Amino acid sequence: MYNLGLDIGSSSVKIALVDQETGASVGVVQEPETEMSMLAVTNGWAEQDPEDWWRHVCKGIERIKEKCSVTSKDIAGIGISYQMHGLVLVDDNGKVLRNSIIWCDSRAVKIGEDAFHEIGENQCSEQLLNSPANFTASKLKWVKENEPEVYAKVYKFMLPGDYIAFRFTGAINSTVSGLSEGIFWDFKNDEVSDTIMKHYGFDKSLVPDIVDTFSEQCRLSSVGASESGLTKGTPILYRAGDQPNNALSLNVFKPGEVAATGGTSGVVYAVTNSLSVKESARVNNFAHVNYRQGEDPRIGKLLCINGAGIQYRWLLNNLDVADYDEMNALASEITIGSDGVCIIPFGNGAERMLNNREIGTRIVNLNLNNHSKSHLCRAALEGIAFSFVYGMDILKSDGITLNVIRAGNDNLFRSEIFSNTVATLIGHDIEIYDTTGAIGAARAADLHKGDFELFGKRIMDNDYVMKYTPLQEKDNYQKAYENWKKELELILNI
């Protein structure tokens, strides 16, 4: 028997099958094979039709069954991961009332900023653990203010993963983790937030029913089974937003464990049991997948770094080099600190961890007589690594402990220079795993049984690649980091 995992992204839907007995991946497909379309009516807007997600889910299920030679009766359960912070609105017949306003849409920024000041920073930090910012609640307020005829018909709001579960089953429900990512959860009172509902003028009837993250959330209806090609009664057993799910996929559940990704942007996701928040304007705080009402809390602190892998890719596209391997080889010719060259890699929009400053990429201390593209390659890897360390320093100031980093096997973490720099400066191991969100979601469909130890063993058995340990020569790395940080602070103080 197999579990099916779905990862509903904004560019594609990924579908994975894992062996229920061993947790081994037996196949992954992406649908569509290119990229999903996105509607941008005006600058800063980003919408998608939820029906497109469902269509790609159904097509992907058809493909994975064919690829792996399985039938619908071979699939025992379903886990769903999805793009966070999106808004889906349906009427009392379950009809979608408008396109989904997705995570990267910025139309509600001012609404969230105003709410942060009007509610008060202390109250937001103590109850919501966040600024309302540009999250789902603020997007719903935008609809209320700007499309009253749509808002008047709203029966329930949903997150993207909730909608996919609804199409499978006909049931409208969500999780505490999901509601917290929309900034609908009051952590102090451990319930749906009266503060945000009253401030934005929402009726609590709009909130979906709440189910446990690891549970039999709902079962496939006749219609859902017919459209998806699965069997009626197949249970949905897990659902989470993509960043908490990525942490789960790396076996990050306990305080002191940190998940990191180093793609176009970088993410550091640290688990804590503390509800204390000092950096609600720079760090997001959500109920982690193993948060349970009335128990010792598990909070995921999420810090994003927009200027990460995109910086290295820009160099690849603009230097006379063949590929990343050549760039890494060039970088390895240069000593720690890049002979004084610093690259500040924040050229991918405003950085929340820099208080939403947009400072761009800067190359400083470049000597045209002595420095070469090898120095640029090393300085870029170091600059991105330093930005991760800088972000972790912010997380530490916000109360996290750090015992181990677990990271995906992506381009940045495959670089010895990058990973050694981070590991040495933070003084902890970085474990590398080769997995995906869809595989993690599929495996998580077994966690309703409560065996987290077996879950972790399956990740180690199937996905473990290697480990970077801190190097002894920390002084040189620390000196280079302090030099980089000095250059950054000079820019921030302008």
Side-chain angles (χ1 to χ4, degrees), residues 20 36 39 45 49 79 119 137 200 228 233 262 354 375 443:
Q20 197 178 39
M36 279 193 284
L39 179 65
W45 289 24
D49 183 352
I119 295 170
Y200 280 161
S228 66
L354 302 180
H375 290 88
R443 286 191 186 129

Side-chain angles (χ1 to χ4, degrees), residues 70-142:
V70 302
T71 69
S72 62
K73 293 181 179 179
D74 296 322
I75 297 173
I78 300 168
I80 300 173
S81 168
Y82 58 88
Q83 50 173 302
M84 297 172 73
H85 317 311
L87 174 68
V88 181
L89 300 173
V90 297
D91 65 15
D92 55 6
N93 292 313
K95 179 183 176 183
V96 174
L97 292 169
R98 70 173 326 282
N99 283 337
S100 172
I101 304 175
I102 66 172
W103 65 276
C104 53
D105 186 294
S106 60
R107 74 185 71 182
V109 168
K110 187 174 189 307
I111 289 172
E113 288 176 346
D114 289 346
F116 187 52
H117 296 298
E118 291 161 5
I119 295 170
E121 182 174 349
N122 288 341
Q123 191 171 352
C124 286
S125 296
E126 290 173 6
Q127 294 185 350
L128 307 175
L129 306 190
N130 295 281
S131 162
N134 187 41
F135 295 117
T136 313
S138 300
K139 291 167 181 170
L140 180 57
K141 175 65 170 174
W142 184 93

